[in-house]
């Protein structure tokens, strides 16, 4: 299989059919003068079940727009998105989003924030409490269940956000620059934690980031978007052994992946600056 093709997907666990299929996706906005502005133009991307794929691209190219379309919050003017063969027309329980902003309810404790997405489901209180406890243990916050967001560090707050997203047991985890507001050291630690969690649960992850190192470290593949109107320029398979630790970042193959992605992004950024 040619993993540099935009329509390629990596089978995991024997899965051949793409779990997420994005086909000829076109998304438009309206400018202040009410003129159509094309953010994404005929974009194609397939994602296998259980795959961790990161999306990088020039600033303002439409990465978050792509994520919102997959979540069902934005409707395309053309094309389609399917998850496990079902068209995406609105947000659903099969997807959960982790944002860059922590998006926690400040008047709720950690436990209550993680339970938030479960409260509308038909679930007994005992089962809900057990589910919340399980995911708090998973992210290492069981001893902070009674704390409020204001009493937590940025990294801990983002762990709450991840636990809240995982607690509803989605098939797809959509992450929009989830570590972007954190300091470098915390970002490194949470990257390793995210891989540990992903390895344990094998959710399908679509991860938006500006950080090339982060994309290479976390991903099975990295999709590089063009400047706006965005398409997929190239998809690069990351052939680094798993489980990964931070030491892999000092390896020669890691540096080669990083350089190749940077070269593609640099070209797109230069072209975008010339068109402004």
């Amino acid at each position: 299989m040619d993993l540099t093709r935009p329509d390629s997907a990596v089978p995991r666990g024997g899965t051949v059919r793409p779990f997420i299929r994005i086909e000829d996706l076109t998304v438009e906005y309206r400018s202040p003068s009410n003129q159509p502005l094309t953010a994404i133009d005929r974009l194609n991307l397939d994602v296998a079940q259980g795959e961790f794929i990161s999306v990088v691209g020039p600033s303002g190219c439409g990465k978050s727009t792509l994520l919102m379309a997959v979540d069902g919050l934005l409707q395309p003017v053309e094309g389609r998105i399917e998850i496990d063969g079902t068209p995406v027309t609105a947000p659903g329980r099969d997807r959960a989003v982790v944002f860059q902003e922590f998006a926690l309810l400040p008047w709720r404790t950690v436990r209550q924030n993680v339970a938030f997405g479960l409260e509308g489901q038909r679930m007994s209180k005992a089962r809900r409490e057990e589910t919340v406890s399980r995911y708090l243990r998973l992210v290492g916050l069981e001893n902070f269940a009674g704390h409020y967001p204001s009493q937590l560090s940025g990294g801990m707050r983002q762990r709450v956000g991840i636990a809240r997203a995982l607690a509803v047991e989605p098939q797809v985890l959509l992450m929009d620059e989830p570590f972007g507001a954190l300091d470098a050291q915390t970002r490194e630690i949470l990257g390793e934690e995210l891989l540990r969690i992903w390895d344990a649960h094998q959710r399908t992850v679509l991860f938006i980031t500006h950080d090339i190192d982060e994309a290479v470290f976390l991903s099975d593949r990295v999709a590089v978007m063009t400047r706006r109107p965005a398409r997929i320029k190239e998809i690069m398979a990351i052939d680094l052994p798993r489980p990964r630790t931070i030491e892999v970042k000092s390896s020669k193959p890691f540096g080669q992946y990083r350089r190749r992605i940077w070269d593609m992004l640099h070209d797109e950024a230069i072209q975008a600056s010339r068109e402004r």
Side-chain angles (χ1 to χ4, degrees):
M1 180 176 292
D2 181 2
L3 295 176
T4 64
R5 291 180 52 201
D7 59 350
S8 64
V10 178
R12 295 181 67 92
T15 299
V16 175
R17 184 184 69 179
F19 189 66
I20 302 174
R21 167 151 283 177
I22 304 170
E23 189 172 54
D24 293 330
L25 183 72
T26 300
V27 179
E28 291 182 351
Y29 290 106
R30 287 285 170 178
S31 70
S33 60
N34 204 35
Q35 296 299 311
L37 178 65
T38 303
I40 295 174
D41 182 34
R42 291 171 292 170
L43 183 146
N44 292 277
L45 178 65
D46 287 351
V47 183
Q49 188 168 25
E51 184 179 13
F52 197 124
I53 185 165
S54 289
V55 179
V56 298
S59 295
C61 73
K63 298 184 294 296
S64 294
T65 297
L66 173 62
L67 199 80
M68 288 190 288
V70 175
D71 192 42
L73 292 169
L74 286 177
Q75 295 302 311
V77 295
E78 291 183 17
R80 63 177 182 170
I81 302 172
E82 293 182 353
I83 296 179
D84 200 17
T86 301
V88 171
T89 57
R93 290 184 179 178
D94 58 344
R95 284 148 282 153
V97 184
V98 179
F99 298 100
Q100 178 177 342
E101 298 81 11
F102 306 121
L104 303 180
L105 301 175
W107 58 88
R108 283 181 168 241
T109 64
V110 166
R111 173 173 288 279
Q112 291 167 342
N113 266 284
V114 175
F116 181 73
L118 300 173
E119 292 171 358
Q121 300 184 17
R122 294 182 178 179
M123 180 183 292
S124 68
K125 182 178 180 182
R127 184 182 167 199
R128 185 169 65 242
E129 289 295 310
E130 189 279 328
T131 299
V132 171
S133 295
R134 183 166 75 251
Y135 284 102
L136 284 177
R137 288 193 299 271
L138 185 68
V139 299
L141 290 176
E142 63 269 34
N143 294 328
F144 295 87
H147 287 60
Y148 289 89
S150 61
Q151 298 172 303
L152 305 178
S153 68
M156 294 169 75
R157 275 179 262 173
Q158 196 58 293
R159 290 186 191 204
V160 177
I162 293 170
R164 181 178 59 186
L166 290 172
V168 299
E169 299 187 343
Q171 297 181 68
V172 178
L173 191 60
L174 304 170
M175 309 190 79
D176 191 6
E177 298 192 62
F179 308 146
L182 304 175
D183 63 86
Q185 183 178 11
T186 303
R187 192 168 186 150
E188 295 273 13
I189 292 169
L190 280 188
E192 288 189 289
E193 286 293 300
L194 178 59
L195 280 188
R196 177 183 61 81
I197 293 166
W198 173 80
D199 191 55
H201 288 264
Q202 291 292 293
R203 300 281 188 248
T204 304
V205 179
L206 187 61
F207 189 95
I208 305 298
T209 181
H210 277 98
D211 191 302
I212 299 173
D213 283 22
E214 188 170 75
V216 174
F217 178 66
L218 295 173
S219 307
D220 293 313
R221 293 186 299 154
V222 177
V224 180
M225 291 177 69
T226 67
R227 63 195 182 279
R228 194 173 62 193
R231 298 182 183 184
I232 299 297
K233 181 172 185 174
E234 185 171 336
I235 300 180
M236 183 180 300
I238 306 299
D239 187 18
L240 295 172
R242 293 189 185 273
R244 293 177 191 162
T245 61
I246 207 70
E247 286 74 21
V248 76
K249 290 189 175 184
S250 60
S251 69
K252 182 177 179 180
F254 188 96
Q256 291 171 333
Y257 285 126
R258 186 191 188 285
R259 182 66 191 183
R260 186 175 173 192
I261 294 171
W262 166 245
D263 287 343
M264 287 186 285
L265 283 178
H266 182 262
D267 290 345
E268 290 298 324
I270 291 297
Q271 290 299 321
S273 67
R274 290 171 179 170
E275 294 170 1
R276 287 172 186 159

